[in-house]
Amino acid sequence: MKALLLAGGLGTRLRPLTEQLPKPMAPVGNRPWLEHLILQLKEQGIEEFVITLKHYPELIRSHFGDGSRLGVSIAYTVEEEALGTAGAIKNAEHLLGERFLVFNADVIQKVDILPLIEFHKQHGGVATIGLTQVEDPSQFGVVDITPSGRILKFIEKPQPGQAPSDLINAGVYLLDRQALSLIPAGKEVSIERETFPLLIQQGLGVYGCHMRGYWLDMGTRERYRKVHWDILDRTFPLPIPGSEQRKGIWVGEDCVIGSGVLLIPPVLIGNRVHIGDKAIIGPNTVIGNDCRIEREARLSETILWDKCRVSRGAHLYQCVFGYEAEAGTGHVLYEAVVNRMKEAMTV
């Protein structure tokens, strides 16, 4: 079975980090999230992928190629104009089989897809939506669902206390090719707001399967940071690169850590990182590969992508720095989100 990964979104809420970078390529635990997604699906037996592209497509193509580096096969489609979720799926129809998985590639998740596949085989409908449980469904589109799992309708952002369930669309779908016949080609179409309601109206069978596991939309800076804190405290059991030198302190290869450096767990340090004397790193700090932190710098609740530089005595708190970003000598930054121009954005 093939998996279609929808990676064409603009990621506007994560700007400026996604100004010149497809949102699914934002690093999570020092590796592009899209790579994590492909590898975890490969572990579950999915080895053929189609990736939909629009925003800086060359960055994804150049990183993954044909997929052989990861032991999978990858094909691509490119949207010349925005097509929406259903339009992007329709645009890839010629590359898909009679039944296929679809993932919103910018949603962070680690779930078991086998129950979704088995449930789809049993119910006989043309679509199964992976559902996740949330505490406050008033912020999402909620499903009205029968005990058998058949979805009756969708309710967008219901008033508090009026939601028919606490289950929302997790951005994971299993579709039969028949479902694509209702999607017009070359037009912008939303699968959530248009296609699924139409399938329900025509009685073709749209079902929901509660998927248990980790799920978080990283669409805001706050949620992007939370994903990392969940990795560090192992709420989100994503593989962490490097060796755990002591509890909550992961350090990559070929690092230089100066004298008097204080590492306050949890901290993740990438490969070839230089940390100067008397720097204080942590808690909740992720440092990408090839970064240089000069002496007496202080980083807390901060994420640095690869090749960043923090000069002597700079203090960073709750910051996110994109590739090759810099903090000057003595700078004190709070909740800063810093990015570089396009030529620096390589992954």
Side-chain angles (χ1 to χ4, degrees):
M1 185 179 296
K2 290 185 179 181
L4 176 65
L5 309 182
L6 303 177
L10 295 178
T12 54
R13 292 178 296 169
L14 269 182
R15 287 175 175 168
L17 295 171
T18 52
E19 199 69 49
Q20 292 106 8
L21 183 78
K23 183 179 170 186
M25 291 299 288
V28 173
N30 286 347
R31 170 180 277 170
W33 164 247
L34 188 56
E35 186 169 323
H36 281 296
L37 178 58
I38 290 171
L39 289 174
Q40 65 173 257
L41 291 174
K42 178 188 174 186
E43 289 177 357
Q44 299 186 65
I46 306 299
E47 297 183 347
E48 292 184 84
F49 295 87
V50 180
I51 303 178
T52 69
L53 308 175
K54 187 179 190 302
H55 186 51
Y56 289 97
E58 69 279 4
L59 292 180
I60 293 179
R61 283 185 184 273
S62 64
H63 185 85
F64 293 105
D66 63 2
S68 57
R69 178 176 61 86
L70 300 179
V72 299
S73 172
I74 300 177
Y76 302 92
T77 62
V78 179
E79 300 174 48
E80 300 300 330
E81 303 291 338
L83 295 175
T85 45
I89 297 170
K90 183 71 173 181
N91 193 46
E93 183 176 12
H94 63 289
L95 296 172
L96 302 172
E98 293 302 312
R99 180 172 291 167
F100 52 91
L101 289 157
V102 180
F103 290 81
N104 284 344
D106 56 3
V107 173
I108 306 294
Q109 53 84 18
K110 188 173 178 62
V111 295
D112 184 0
I113 61 172
L114 183 59
L116 180 82
I117 295 172
E118 292 301 316
F119 179 59
H120 186 88
K121 291 177 180 178
Q122 294 168 11
H123 65 61
V126 299
T128 302
I129 302 174
L131 304 175
T132 189
Q133 195 170 22
V134 295
E135 292 184 6
D136 181 12
S138 66
Q139 302 301 310
F140 301 92
V142 183
V143 296
D144 187 358
I145 189 170
T146 70
S148 68
R150 193 178 187 103
I151 295 175
L152 302 176
K153 60 182 176 180
F154 298 86
I155 301 173
E156 187 65 25
K157 295 184 179 179
Q159 293 296 316
Q162 297 184 11
S165 74
D166 57 0
L167 296 174
I168 68 168
N169 181 351
V172 180
Y173 316 120
L174 183 53
L175 302 178
D176 287 353
R177 194 180 189 88
Q178 182 184 355
L180 303 187
S181 64
L182 298 182
I183 304 172
K187 294 185 178 181
E188 184 172 1
V189 183
S190 165
I191 197 169
E192 302 89 351
R193 294 189 299 273
E194 299 176 70
T195 306
F196 287 144
L198 186 57
L199 292 172
I200 292 172
Q201 180 184 349
Q202 298 207 2
L204 294 175
V206 177
Y207 286 77
C209 178
H210 184 191
M211 305 185 75
R212 291 170 174 81
Y214 187 89
W215 183 92
L216 187 68
D217 179 356
M218 68 167 177
T220 67
R221 300 169 185 178
E222 294 75 17
R223 291 176 188 167
Y224 181 71
R225 286 197 296 261
K226 176 174 170 49
V227 166
H228 284 84
W229 311 162
D230 288 347
I231 292 170
L232 292 176
D233 70 13
R234 309 314 289 147
T235 300
F236 180 23
L238 202 68
I240 292 181
S243 61
E244 191 172 12
Q245 295 195 349
R246 59 186 175 90
K247 187 173 176 59
I249 302 290
W250 290 271
V251 180
E253 299 176 353
D254 301 321
C255 292
V256 175
I257 299 178
S259 64
V261 171
L262 178 60
L263 301 178
I264 306 172
V267 168
L268 168 59
I269 299 171
N271 299 325
R272 301 174 300 279
V273 173
H274 179 100
I275 301 178
D277 298 346
K278 298 182 180 180
I280 302 175
I281 310 296
N284 285 331
T285 296
V286 176
I287 299 175
N289 300 323
D290 301 297
C291 289
R292 184 175 184 88
I293 316 299
E294 297 189 357
R295 60 180 297 128
E296 299 171 5
R298 173 77 167 94
L299 278 64
S300 177
E301 297 187 25
T302 286
I303 301 164
L304 305 183
W305 295 6
D306 295 352
K307 300 180 181 180
C308 290
R309 183 184 181 97
V310 180
S311 298
R312 178 173 181 170
H315 288 201
L316 277 58
Y317 177 64
Q318 291 189 355
C319 296
V320 183
F321 274 31
Y323 293 114
E324 298 189 17
E326 299 183 9
T329 302
H331 284 183
V332 178
L333 300 176
Y334 174 72
E335 292 188 344
V337 179
V338 180
N339 201 8
R340 290 287 298 271
M341 297 302 292
K342 181 179 178 181
E343 57 268 23
M345 306 295 287
T346 56
V347 289

